[in-house]
Structures are given as structure tokens and as C-alpha cells.
Amino acid sequence: MCAALAEQSAEAVARGDHAKATRCNAEIRNHPPHPGDRRMSPAAAQLDIQAMRADAQLLLTPDADATPEDGLSELTLRMRGHIMRLTPAVEDAMAAHPHNDDVWANALGSVTRAGFRLLEEPPNGSLTQAIAYAQRLARAVIALTDALTALKAAR
């Protein structure tokens, strides 16, 4: 069921139906654990924003082109994971924020762009393309952490 909801959420983002994507993401979060599922406790589920930003900065430094291919694959997967964890957190913060200001609008744009980044197919070509893809993901992580910080500060 969770996989089907994740697919529906991705399709909704692709269509621009962000309300449906948010509902699907909320349903995934509220779904009871599967047998053998090791979900984190709420305290352990806290996001380490600084660590996520530090991971993203590794890909955005001038020497990122020198990243070995195996390290690049790991960082790329980490960026995707960060986006998957940050997006629902930003959406939750948006729900508690007035919908008529720049902070909310910026957060919506960050969530939308991050969703499109997750829908992108990783390149099978050159190392240069793989680095550019990972950097796009890293910029989405930075934007989501900025949006989350701004939403929390505006409360």
C-alpha cells in the first residue's frame, strides 16, 4: 500500500496536483508499521538539518568534480534520502503556516522542485552528467532546509 501511495504522490507532483501529493505523503506517514518494520521513534526521527546541509555542500564545492564515482553514488543516494525526509517535514510546517506570504510560497516552490528532482532519471552516461544530477539534488536539499528553517522561524 505504501508503494502505491508513493507512486500516486509522484504522479500527482508530475501533474502539479500538490494537494493530492501532500495527502498521499501524510497517509504514508500515518500508515501503521508493517511486520518487521523498524520505524524510528518520534525523538529519533528528528531531522539533522546541519548534517543534511553539510552533505549537500560536499557536492557543491568547487572540487566536487574530483569526487570518486563510488563516493558520488553514495552521496547521490543520500541526497535522495534527505529530500524524501525533508519534503514531508516542510509540508507539515507549511500546513501550520498562513498560506498568504512569501515564506509559504517559497516553501511550496522548494517542495515542488524537490519532487521534480526525485522524478528525474539518474544519468547512465558520463561522470559529468552524474555530478550535475547529484548537484541538482544537493541544491534541492539546501532549498528544503532553508524553507524548513524559515517556516519554523516564522511561527
Side-chain angles (χ1 to χ4, degrees):
M1 179 170 185
C2 290
L5 286 168
E7 187 175 320
Q8 289 176 20
S9 175
E11 290 171 358
V13 167
R15 285 193 316 271
D17 187 353
H18 301 290
K20 179 166 183 162
T22 300
R23 286 191 305 274
C24 289
N25 291 339
E27 196 169 338
I28 290 169
R29 280 192 305 279
N30 295 329
H31 192 263
H34 301 278
D37 195 2
R38 293 188 223 180
R39 292 200 182 178
M40 291 185 270
S41 68
Q46 295 299 316
L47 298 175
D48 188 349
I49 301 293
Q50 296 303 343
M52 291 177 175
R53 290 181 70 82
D55 282 349
Q57 288 301 330
L58 291 173
L59 289 163
L60 298 174
T61 60
D63 61 345
D65 293 344
T67 305
E69 214 167 322
D70 57 337
L72 180 62
S73 296
E74 181 186 332
L75 278 171
T76 300
L77 288 173
R78 218 179 310 164
M79 291 303 106
R80 290 180 64 82
H82 292 336
I83 291 170
M84 288 179 200
R85 292 186 65 213
L86 282 163
T87 299
V90 173
E91 289 173 339
D92 288 346
M94 287 172 62
H97 193 80
H99 296 186
N100 59 350
D101 71 358
D102 291 341
V103 173
W104 187 88
N106 181 53
L108 178 61
S110 297
V111 166
T112 302
R113 285 186 299 279
F116 283 119
R117 293 294 171 237
L118 288 179
L119 290 174
E120 277 185 57
E121 289 292 322
N124 290 330
S126 71
L127 180 59
T128 305
Q129 290 175 333
I131 290 170
Y133 171 71
Q135 288 174 330
R136 288 191 298 274
L137 292 173
R139 285 189 288 277
V141 168
I142 297 292
L144 287 170
T145 58
D146 287 348
L148 186 58
T149 302
L151 286 164
K152 287 182 177 180
R155 278 193 223 169

